[in-house]
Amino acid sequence: MGTVEVSVGAASIQVVRGGNVLLPCSFHTTVSLSRLNIIWTVTPLAEPDRPQQVLAYEQGEVVESLSQYTGRVGFAFSPTQSATIFLNATRRSDSGTYQCSVMNPPDRATPNIGVIRLTVLVPPSSPQCSREGSGEEGGAVRLSCAERDGVPAPTFTWEKIPPNKQPLVLSYTGGADAHRALLTLQNLTAATSGLYRCTASNALGSGACSIQLHVLLAPQGTLGIVVGVTVTLSMGLVLLTLLALVLWLHHQSVGKWPEEDVEDSYNEIRVDSLSPRHLIVAKTPSSDVPVASRTAKPLWLVTSSTPTYGTRQLPAEGSTPGRELEEEPAWHPSCNREPAPAGALPPKHPGFLV
């Protein structure tokens, strides 16, 4: 008892979408083919967890499965001669891993399996352009270019029309979004506005889309108001700081005034309310001078009346100075009195009386 030997012509085959392709599979057996059994299955690239049957040959009959392959698949030759099949009008979903299983008892029941990987090439379709972000001046915006059909995955280019002197840097999200390219524009200005075009291309062709970007400029009036308010607040803060500094310096200087200045503040000039003709200049003694020394200081009297003769007694301690100084003069020319004796002294010139 022998075994069934299966071989395939190539491990990988590529076909352009819409074209026809042959999936080769040959076998060798040592017994008659009365019990020959051939089964083709596929594990789709898009759905790797859902394998399905494509075509079968069982007990001399061809059996097509009810699937997307119905009417498009068949044996290229008689199954007794070759297990090769054809696939017409290929689709992008036909890409996957195909297995050719051959059994022919009484050769070993365990079949020998041939594996072929089929890739359906698809040119890029027209990509879709979109924008994320408000597009305000000074902000940022992200332009997206997405394409889902291209096999192999296309490459993307972004360009501004008319083109910029500096190339635009792209970023890819990767993974399931490998068919998407992003263009991020930052610090938007009026010069950023314009038409942007994205091109997706692979070996089979290319596709493109465009998007118009308008940067929203900030009103000049609003910008001027913001600047004015900022300057005003800054100046107000400086003025408040200077005012606080002046008040602090004033407070420090008040605490350092010399005691002599404080004593001089007690000097006063007052007019005697009882006698309008007398102007009294007095110096109030400070509180730290002994009481005995107060009576020793003279009291000066300035008068605007006519000369007086005689003497005045200084006020005794504890008495009111103003009242004792208001005595009538001893002699006045306007008074009707007896003339002075011959030996009397001549009248003194008006002046100070001590």
Side-chain angles (χ1 to χ4, degrees), residues 83-333:
T84 300
I85 63 173
F86 63 85
L87 180 60
N88 297 331
T90 52
R91 307 171 183 174
R92 185 176 185 271
S93 58
D94 293 339
S95 296
T97 302
Y98 290 78
Q99 294 182 350
C100 172
S101 301
V102 179
M103 295 178 293
N104 188 32
D107 284 347
R108 289 187 180 178
T110 302
N112 200 347
I113 300 176
V115 179
I116 301 176
R117 182 178 180 87
L118 176 64
T119 301
V120 179
L121 302 179
V122 181
S125 59
S126 296
Q128 294 181 352
C129 294
S130 60
R131 188 186 75 177
E132 299 177 9
S134 61
E136 296 180 353
E137 183 181 13
V141 68
R142 186 169 65 175
L143 304 182
S144 173
C145 181
E147 192 280 331
R148 299 296 180 184
D149 295 332
V151 179
T155 58
F156 296 88
T157 56
W158 273 101
E159 60 182 339
K160 183 180 179 183
I161 303 174
N164 289 342
K165 295 181 179 180
Q166 297 182 352
L168 301 177
V169 180
L170 307 183
S171 61
Y172 294 86
T173 55
D177 290 336
H179 288 252
R180 182 186 183 195
L182 303 177
L183 173 62
T184 302
L185 304 174
Q186 298 180 344
N187 299 324
L188 300 178
T189 62
T192 313
S193 299
L195 181 63
Y196 290 80
R197 181 173 63 190
C198 171
T199 303
S201 60
N202 63 10
L204 301 180
S206 63
C209 64
S210 302
I211 187 170
Q212 185 74 36
L213 175 63
H214 296 282
V215 177
L216 303 178
L217 303 180
Q220 296 297 327
T222 304
L223 181 61
I225 292 175
V226 172
V227 173
V229 171
T230 303
V231 173
T232 302
L233 292 177
S234 301
M235 294 181 63
L237 182 60
V238 172
L239 292 177
L240 289 176
T241 304
L242 293 177
L243 178 60
L245 180 61
V246 170
L247 293 177
W248 181 80
L249 292 176
H250 176 71
H251 178 73
Q252 294 294 326
S253 62
V254 169
K256 295 181 179 180
W257 281 352
E259 295 181 358
E260 291 80 0
D261 295 343
V262 177
E263 291 181 358
D264 292 344
S265 65
Y266 288 100
N267 294 337
E268 61 178 352
I269 300 176
R270 54 191 176 86
V271 178
D272 190 354
S273 61
L274 298 179
S275 178
R277 295 177 301 172
H278 296 168
L279 178 63
I280 300 173
V281 180
K283 181 175 182 180
T284 305
S286 58
S287 60
D288 57 350
V289 179
V291 177
S293 64
R294 297 178 183 176
T295 58
K297 293 184 179 180
L299 177 67
W300 298 93
L301 174 65
V302 180
T303 178
S304 61
S305 61
T306 56
T308 59
Y309 299 93
T311 60
R312 296 291 183 269
Q313 293 182 355
L314 294 176
E317 182 177 357
S319 62
T320 304
R323 295 186 179 277
E324 293 186 3
L325 293 177
E326 291 178 1
E327 285 185 341
E328 292 295 332
W331 179 88
H332 193 278

